[in-house]
Amino acid sequence: MSSSADLYNIPSSPSQSPRPGQKKGKRKREREKVFWYQKKGAKGIVGLICLVGLFFIFNGFMVLRLQHDDEISGNKDVSVRNSSSISVSIKGELKTIGKGKRRRKGTYDRMLALAAHSLAENKREPKDLWQELFVPASAWRPCADHRSWNPSEGNNGYILVTANGGMNQQRVAVCNAVVIARLLNSTLVIPRFMYSSVWRDASQFSDIYQEEHFINYLTPDIRIVKELPKELQSLDLEAIGSVVTDADIGKESKPSFYLKNILPILLKNRVVHFVGFGNRLAFDPIPFQLQIQETGALLIQRLRKHAAHSGPLDHYLIGPYAEKNLQEKAGHAVKASRYLALHLRFEIDMVAHSLCEYGGGEEERKELEAYREIHFPALTLLKKTNKLPSPAMLREEGLCPLTPEEAVLMLAALGFSRKTHIFIAGANIYGGRSRLTALTSLYPNLVTKEKLLSATELEPFMNFSSQLAALDFIACTASDAFAMTDSGSQLSSLVSGFRIYYGGGKMPTIRPNKRRLADIFRKNNSIEWKIFEQRVRKAVRQTKHVLQRPKARSVYRYPRCKECMCLTE
């Protein structure tokens, strides 16, 4: 969710069961086991948490093998028109935005016209636009796969997990479950995914991941089975107190919590069922790393339709299909084609949860409030019982995701030319197609997976949001440059972390400083374009620093830490 959720300390799900208590008068055997794991279990587990995701790295996502189709609809090169014609076109298209369902205020018409004039001049792109700070970034190398512990026998019982949320939240829950299984010397049952009224995706683990590889790859660490033993399948887990929800576990709880509160339940009942289990494991003192592997060779091939080269991350993302792509491109001696991936985190769930306003007036407020009442009842209750920051204050503090108009102004100010090939990731943009008018007008070489893949190729995935998100992950991670509009987005965080972990200092990521940008955008009625460019570039440049992971910060986004990456200098 957006960073405003943390500001309000909103629980991710309502309570479904009472907090599990600790049984009085523990047996001596239980105390000895707790003591043993507290002393011995922590030695190897730090590395394990970084290692958990290596299943996802090498062979995780095998969604379905897509059929090859060299024709790409709607992705023809468009030559740059002269300054005046572009400006007229932009103004005409922007006027149509307010003629539909709602009329938005403050759509940056003036700044978009200035951006169009600037792009029409076809200036040379800044020298470092497609580059990361290579020397300091390349000094970090992945080293989380150095196993130095014995396998867990898993003889204390069984861990079940039913993960909620979308693909990214589910991945976090799976990693947490693997680590807890190791910590408690228990056997993990293949995770299940909860049906979400937001994502509406019935996909299960085997629909997205390879079960056998998952089991075999983690064999040196934990024991994994596909289902509970028959004698445990008939148990009423809720009745015996073995169901643990997110309401029972504090956010980012330390391992000591699980040893103190969960291990006794496991030893007594032989099974514990975690329902939800998203961000329920601390980054410190146990940092961990999650990576994934997916199959999307066809999507990458079409994004690089002019390229006869393999990207630096293709091997990790699509495995043997990377070599297949190269073989099919053999003999095409053409200039390599670069593309920018942009994750527009501007779906209605993000917009509603942010509590920000986006120019739609009273109609927009009513629509978002109705959505919150259904999908975020805790947030609705909080609004009724507490005085919360105003939408203007939230925007000023950088707690609102960038709108598509703000995103395109940022890209133009950074210097991306009008000819730039851009892949847009994300689900249904709030406001519909008209909300993308400014973006498509300034950057005509813009594609989505829906444009790159035929209806027949997409049909198997259309009712599965997690599988569609997997395709977006592939395209974003493999891109020559990646830009996000909300740094709190889990997809953006995981993509940027993957690029840091395996990119070798060659995979730049644009992370907007939304607080700084909000201050710049407030002056959109008076600021000159040259000054706007300078200020935006300075604000974004500050986020390019190569930093080691700060304490307690997400290793998904900041994998440069001694448990996950080694500094070679």
Side-chain angles (χ1 to χ4, degrees):
M1 288 303 172
S2 69
S3 53
S4 60
D6 293 331
L7 177 69
Y8 309 136
N9 193 27
I10 301 167
S12 60
S13 63
S15 176
Q16 298 179 29
S17 65
R19 183 177 298 277
Q22 182 176 0
K23 182 179 178 180
K24 296 181 180 180
K26 294 182 180 179
R27 291 173 296 180
K28 182 178 179 181
R29 179 176 61 83
E30 295 177 6
R31 290 199 302 269
E32 290 176 349
K33 286 187 176 182
V34 172
F35 176 77
W36 189 89
Y37 284 112
Q38 287 175 326
K39 186 174 181 181
K40 300 293 185 181
K43 291 185 178 180
I45 206 166
V46 170
L48 170 64
I49 301 178
C50 290
L51 175 64
V52 170
L54 286 179
F55 152 69
F56 298 99
I57 297 170
F58 293 108
N59 208 5
F61 269 88
M62 298 296 288
V63 183
L64 288 175
R65 296 189 178 185
L66 305 177
Q67 297 179 351
H68 177 69
D69 185 348
D70 287 322
E71 296 180 359
I72 305 173
S73 60
N75 188 31
K76 298 180 180 179
D77 292 338
V78 180
S79 60
V80 178
R81 293 169 287 179
N82 61 63
S83 173
S84 60
S85 65
I86 292 178
S87 180
V88 170
S89 173
I90 294 291
K91 290 179 180 178
E93 291 173 334
L94 291 177
K95 286 180 180 179
T96 66
I97 295 178
K99 294 181 180 180
K101 180 181 178 182
R102 64 171 65 93
R103 182 176 181 83
R104 293 188 302 276
K105 299 177 182 178
T107 52
Y108 303 102
D109 291 14
R110 173 181 173 274
M111 292 303 299
L112 290 169
L114 293 177
H117 279 288
S118 177
L119 292 176
E121 294 176 5
N122 199 24
K123 295 180 291 188
R124 180 174 296 181
E125 293 180 338
K127 190 175 182 180
D128 63 345
L129 184 60
W130 296 82
Q131 298 175 359
E132 196 175 0
L133 298 175
F134 175 72
V135 174
S138 62
W140 290 88
R141 290 285 184 266
C143 59
D145 57 347
H146 297 167
R147 284 183 171 96
S148 59
W149 53 81
N150 295 322
S152 170
E153 296 180 359
N155 51 21
N156 277 348
Y158 294 83
I159 296 291
L160 295 171
V161 59
T162 302
N164 61 6
M167 181 191 74
N168 304 294
Q169 291 92 335
Q170 291 167 353
R171 281 153 51 193
V172 173
V174 170
C175 273
N176 284 349
V178 171
V179 176
I180 294 304
R182 171 79 190 192
L183 177 68
L184 303 183
N185 189 21
S186 55
T187 297
L188 177 66
V189 180
I190 287 290
R192 292 192 59 80
F193 297 151
M194 188 185 303
Y195 182 82
S196 167
S197 61
V198 176
W199 300 105
R200 298 181 180 180
D201 184 356
S203 296
Q204 288 301 319
F205 192 90
S206 61
D207 297 318
I208 303 174
Y209 302 95
Q210 285 186 310
E211 282 189 358
E212 294 300 329
H213 182 75
F214 179 72
I215 294 171
N216 295 334
Y217 184 78
L218 289 173
T219 295
D221 306 300
I222 65 170
R223 180 171 177 254
I224 304 176
V225 296
K226 293 186 178 181
E227 59 183 18
L228 282 173
K230 290 184 179 181
E231 65 269 19
L232 298 179
Q233 292 179 9
S234 60
L235 291 177
D236 186 337
L237 299 184
E238 187 168 2
I240 65 175
S242 283
V243 174
V244 180
T245 72
D246 280 358
D248 302 321
I249 307 174
K251 227 181 166 185
E252 298 181 7
S253 293
K254 295 181 179 180
S256 58
F257 171 88
Y258 295 92
L259 291 166
K260 180 180 179 181
N261 296 282
I262 306 301
L263 182 57
I265 301 174
L266 188 66
L267 294 173
K268 176 186 175 183
N269 299 333
R270 294 190 61 200
V271 60
V272 170
H273 184 190
F274 292 104
V275 178
F277 208 49
N279 296 318
R280 302 293 150 181
L281 188 61
F283 290 109
D284 290 308
I286 300 183
F288 60 103
Q289 171 64 15
L290 168 66
Q291 304 296 338
I292 70 171
Q293 177 186 355
E294 305 165 327
T295 302
L298 181 58
L299 190 57
I300 293 178
Q301 184 185 75
R302 291 180 179 175
L303 280 165
R304 297 198 186 114
K305 63 175 182 174
H306 302 301
H309 75 298
S310 174
L313 302 187
D314 288 9
H315 168 71
Y316 302 106
L317 290 169
I318 58 177
Y321 292 88
E323 184 65 28
K324 182 174 181 290
N325 276 2
L326 282 179
Q327 293 173 356
E328 292 180 359
K329 288 290 183 177
H332 294 260
V334 294
K335 185 178 179 181
S337 175
R338 298 188 297 192
Y339 74 93
L340 165 73
L342 173 65
H343 182 214
L344 278 178
R345 187 63 173 98
F346 202 71
E347 296 90 350
I348 189 170
D349 65 312
M350 170 64 81
V351 172
H353 198 273
S354 70
L355 295 179
C356 301
E357 293 183 354
Y358 300 92
E362 187 61 25
E363 185 179 356
E364 177 188 277
R365 283 192 286 272
K366 289 181 179 178
E367 181 179 7
L368 296 181
E369 188 57 43
Y371 186 91
R372 280 191 287 266
E373 289 180 357
I374 297 173
H375 299 286
F376 306 125
L379 185 57
T380 300
L381 178 62
L382 196 66
K383 282 192 65 181
K384 294 178 179 178
T385 57
N386 294 268
K387 182 175 176 57
L388 301 181
S390 66
M393 184 178 295
L394 291 171
R395 188 170 297 279
E396 184 178 334
E397 291 299 314
L399 296 175
C400 302
L402 297 185
T403 66
E405 294 87 359
E406 290 169 338
V408 71
L409 286 172
M410 178 184 72
L411 296 180
L414 289 175
F416 285 100
S417 74
R418 183 169 166 78
K419 296 179 180 179
T420 302
H421 290 260
I422 300 179
F423 173 83
I424 297 292
N428 298 320
I429 301 300
Y430 178 67
R433 185 175 298 178
S434 65
R435 200 79 208 228
L436 294 177
T437 298
L439 190 56
T440 55
S441 298
L442 268 65
Y443 290 99
N445 293 328
L446 183 147
V447 294
T448 62
K449 57 184 175 293
E450 288 77 15
K451 283 189 176 181
L452 290 170
L453 301 171
S454 69
T456 301
E457 291 163 341
L458 272 176
E459 194 276 333
F461 309 102
M462 291 310 296
N463 294 322
F464 303 98
S465 59
S466 292
Q467 296 179 31
L468 291 171
L471 296 177
D472 277 337
F473 183 95
I474 295 169
C476 288
T477 306
S479 63
D480 298 276
F482 171 62
M484 63 180 74
T485 56
D486 186 80
S487 56
S489 160
Q490 290 204 44
L491 176 63
S492 293
S493 297
L494 293 166
V495 167
S496 63
F498 196 109
R499 291 165 64 85
I500 289 173
Y501 192 76
Y502 283 109
K506 299 178 181 179
M507 307 298 290
T509 294
I510 298 169
R511 303 173 184 83
N513 183 327
K514 293 187 294 179
R515 179 181 291 181
R516 293 286 305 276
L517 290 181
D519 180 62
I520 300 171
F521 286 133
R522 280 204 304 270
K523 300 176 175 61
N524 72 88
N525 290 325
S526 59
I527 193 170
E528 295 303 320
W529 182 254
K530 186 175 181 180
I531 303 300
F532 181 77
E533 281 184 327
Q534 292 173 351
R535 294 194 61 187
V536 169
R537 291 179 186 183
K538 182 178 180 181
V540 173
R541 193 181 304 117
Q542 291 175 340
T543 68
K544 277 193 171 185
H545 296 318
V546 176
L547 300 174
Q548 186 170 346
R549 184 185 73 87
K551 185 176 181 179
R553 297 300 295 274
S554 169
V555 293
Y556 305 144
R557 192 180 309 164
Y558 304 105
R560 296 187 184 102
C561 57
K562 62 182 181 180
E563 295 85 6
C564 299
M565 301 185 74
C566 299
L567 186 60
T568 58
E569 287 185 341

